[in-house]
Amino acid sequence: MLAYITRRVLLAIPIAFGVSVVCFSLVYLAPGDPLQTILPSDATQEMVEQIKRAYGLDRPLPIQYLLWFRHVLTGDYGMSILTRRPVILEVTGALYNTFILTSLAVPLAFVTGYTMGAIAGCFPGRLADRVVTGATVVGVSLPNYWLGIVLVDYPAQGQLAGRCASAHTRTA
C-alpha cells in the first residue's frame, strides 16, 4: 500500500508542474496585455518600462516562470490587479463562503445519494429503480455551473414575477 501511495504522489509531481505551466501561460495566451489593466491610458513609454521592471516582465519567460513558481511555492500570490489587495486575502474571503456551502452540501448529498441507492437496491429492475437511476444520470449529466446559475436565478425570477403580478393586481 505504501508503494502505491508513493507512486501516486510521484506521478502527481509532473501533473502539478504541467498545470503550473498552463496557469502561467494563460496570462500570455489571453488577448490583450496584462499591463493595460494596471497602466492609465495616457501612460508614457518610460512608465510602461518602469512597471515591466517592477513586475519582472522585462525578463525572459523561463525566468519569469521560475520567479512566479517560487512565489507560489512560498505562498506569495502577489497583489490583485483589480482590487489592489493581496490575492491571498481575496481567496480566503471566498473560502469562508465555500466552507459554509460545503458543510451543508456534503451531508445533503450523502443522505440523498444513500437514500436513492437504497431505494434502487431494494427494488432492482422495477419502476423505483429506473426512476432513481434516471434521476441520477440526469443529475450527473448536468453541468455544475449551469445548474448553479439556474438554482440561483430561478427563485429570483419567481419572486420578481410574483411581486410584479401582485403590484399589477393592486393597481388594476
Side-chain angles (χ1 to χ4, degrees), residues 80-92:
S80 168
I81 293 173
L82 187 64
T83 62
R84 307 274 192 254
R85 292 179 53 203
V87 171
I88 194 73
L89 293 179
E90 299 286 331
V91 172
T92 53

Side-chain angles (χ1 to χ4, degrees), residues 41-75:
S41 58
D42 59 341
T44 64
Q45 186 62 28
E46 180 181 312
M47 188 184 269
V48 171
E49 294 303 320
Q50 184 181 7
I51 295 293
K52 280 186 176 182
R53 221 173 305 111
Y55 282 97
L57 298 174
D58 58 342
R59 298 181 178 171
L61 278 178
I63 301 298
Q64 288 181 41
Y65 172 77
L66 291 174
L67 290 171
W68 174 81
F69 194 66
R70 186 186 73 194
H71 288 293
V72 167
L73 288 179
T74 59

Side-chain angles (χ1 to χ4, degrees), residues 5 17 19 36 41 60 63-64 71 83 86 97 109 115 122 124 143-145 151 156-157 161 171:
I5 293 172
F17 174 73
V19 168
Q36 290 174 347
S41 58
I63 301 298
Q64 288 181 41
H71 288 293
T83 62
N97 293 332
T115 303
C122 288
N144 293 334
Y145 62 89
L151 290 176
Q157 287 179 354
T171 58

Side-chain angles (χ1 to χ4, degrees), residues 53-165:
R53 221 173 305 111
Y55 282 97
L57 298 174
D58 58 342
R59 298 181 178 171
L61 278 178
I63 301 298
Q64 288 181 41
Y65 172 77
L66 291 174
L67 290 171
W68 174 81
F69 194 66
R70 186 186 73 194
H71 288 293
V72 167
L73 288 179
T74 59
D76 177 16
Y77 301 112
M79 301 293 279
S80 168
I81 293 173
L82 187 64
T83 62
R84 307 274 192 254
R85 292 179 53 203
V87 171
I88 194 73
L89 293 179
E90 299 286 331
V91 172
T92 53
L95 283 178
Y96 176 73
N97 293 332
T98 301
F99 175 74
I100 290 173
L101 284 171
T102 304
S103 64
L104 296 173
V106 168
L108 178 66
F110 177 77
V111 169
T112 304
Y114 185 82
T115 303
M116 291 176 77
I119 290 170
C122 288
F123 305 103
R126 293 161 83 185
L127 179 63
D129 176 32
R130 292 173 191 231
V131 168
V132 167
T133 303
T136 303
V137 168
V138 168
V140 170
S141 300
L142 291 175
N144 293 334
Y145 62 89
W146 180 83
L147 184 60
I149 291 170
V150 168
L151 290 176
V152 167
D153 200 32
Y154 182 74
Q157 287 179 354
Q159 291 171 357
L160 181 62
R163 288 186 188 141
C164 291

